[in-house]
Amino acid sequence: MTSSAGTAAGVLVLAGTPIGRVEDAPPRLARELAEADVIAAEDTRRLKRLTTDLGIEPTGRVLSYFEGNEEARTPYLVELLEAGNRVVLVTDAGMPSVSDPGYRLVAAAVEADIEITSVPGPSAVLTALAVSGLPVDRFCFEGFLPRKAGERSRRLADLADEQRTMVFFEAPHRTEAALAAMADAFGADRSAALCRELTKTHEEVVRDGLGALAAWAADGVRGEVTIVVSGAPEAGPVDDPATLVAWVADQEARGVSRKDAIADVARRAGVPKREVYDLVHKKGAV
């Protein structure tokens, strides 16, 4: 068991940065950046623009920390933390480690028993969820979908029965293809919201079925995109033997073990596992 208080002299600060308007920056952000011993930034040029907009001049060292050097630079940052430095980690927008660099450093800091805290800030995930108009009582964040069509389709097939509201990030030039793939996997009528340029001057939220959104995106989409998709409706009990057997076969074809497939199908159908087991093995014996 580890404690978030830690025992090391240094402190790692995960600092949320604006996803659009600089005035959304939390008040504490300016102080942390101004007083940090070290600032690890995903893009040092964007950090410079941010500090200028905040009216501050950092006195500490500024180091780049992005996907390309994250693995190599993490041990060095841990050394700095162990030496007693206050290290502030910022990404281009939003909270570090949420589809941005940071998780690797946090995990290493936890392992080294270093104190970790945060400057809570804007989040595209929560902002999109809040304005989507879709259920927010239960949700999951799925990040970016795979770029390759086959891998993307398999990922979405695995989510077809997800009953929680789902939040995705997507690149603008892949948005139409992603929405079309979602329509194929979840149904063209599944309710969704496409949130573009959240909190920025050209903010736009389009709410419709996935099929209609894919058609809307065919003309091109610009800016940062977050897609919110309603979860699958809760199904009532399914007692058709052929349907239950077909569901198990479909899961097995995707690499799921028969035992796990039977358990999952029983849960989804609202029937005892033994009933599904008997149906599957009876068919196999025919």
Side-chain angles (χ1 to χ4, degrees):
M1 180 180 295
T2 61
S3 168
S4 61
T7 58
V11 179
L12 173 61
V13 183
L14 308 176
T17 56
I19 59 176
R21 303 172 188 269
V22 71
E23 56 262 40
D24 292 336
R28 189 174 137 218
L29 177 62
R31 177 171 61 82
E32 288 286 359
L33 290 173
E35 299 177 0
D37 298 310
V38 178
I39 301 175
E42 184 177 11
D43 186 327
T44 57
R45 293 167 299 181
R46 294 189 67 162
L47 171 65
K48 177 61 177 176
R49 290 198 295 271
L50 175 62
T51 56
T52 299
D53 289 341
L54 292 174
I56 61 171
E57 184 67 39
T59 58
R61 296 174 58 193
V62 175
L63 300 174
S64 65
Y65 188 73
F66 60 98
E67 184 179 0
N69 70 1
E70 186 178 5
E71 182 174 2
R73 184 143 286 179
T74 292
Y76 178 59
L77 289 174
V78 171
E79 289 179 8
L80 293 175
L81 287 162
E82 290 177 325
N85 289 280
R86 190 173 186 87
V87 177
V88 176
L89 175 63
V90 293
T91 56
D92 290 348
M95 284 299 298
S97 81
V98 181
S99 281
D100 278 334
Y103 168 75
R104 193 187 301 272
L105 179 57
V106 171
V110 169
E111 183 68 23
D113 198 23
I114 290 166
E115 181 179 352
I116 304 168
T117 188
S118 69
V119 178
S123 164
V125 176
L126 296 181
T127 302
L129 186 68
V131 303
S132 69
L134 299 174
V136 299
D137 54 333
R138 298 176 66 235
F139 70 92
C140 58
F141 173 55
E142 290 295 325
F144 286 92
L145 289 170
R147 297 183 181 187
K148 294 183 178 179
E151 294 177 6
R152 179 173 58 218
S153 295
R154 286 190 290 273
R155 172 78 64 80
L156 291 172
D158 289 339
L159 294 170
D161 298 313
E162 175 59 67
Q163 294 182 359
R164 295 172 294 179
T165 298
M166 296 169 281
V167 184
F168 301 86
F169 285 163
E170 193 50 88
H173 62 281
R174 291 196 297 269
T175 297
E176 179 192 2
L179 288 167
M182 290 178 185
D184 288 341
F186 304 152
D189 294 331
R190 180 80 71 89
S191 296
L194 186 147
C195 306
R196 187 181 71 84
E197 294 289 88
L198 285 170
T199 77
K200 299 177 184 177
T201 302
H202 300 292
E203 176 179 277
E204 184 176 24
V205 179
V206 185
R207 304 173 182 88
D208 211 323
L210 285 167
L213 286 177
W216 175 86
D219 292 333
V221 178
R222 293 183 178 181
E224 301 289 335
V225 174
T226 305
I227 302 170
V228 186
V229 183
S230 62
E234 185 172 353
V238 176
D239 55 10
D240 176 55
T243 298
L244 297 174
V245 171
W247 284 0
V248 172
D250 178 66
Q251 292 221 31
E252 286 189 287
R254 289 192 275 121
V256 179
S257 70
R258 175 165 291 187
K259 178 181 178 182
D260 289 343
I262 288 173
D264 182 64
V265 168
R267 177 188 59 78
R268 288 163 52 195
V271 299
K273 284 192 292 185
R274 186 68 199 184
E275 180 177 334
V276 181
Y277 177 92
D278 288 344
L279 286 169
V280 170
H281 287 83
K282 178 181 179 181
K283 185 178 187 313
V286 174

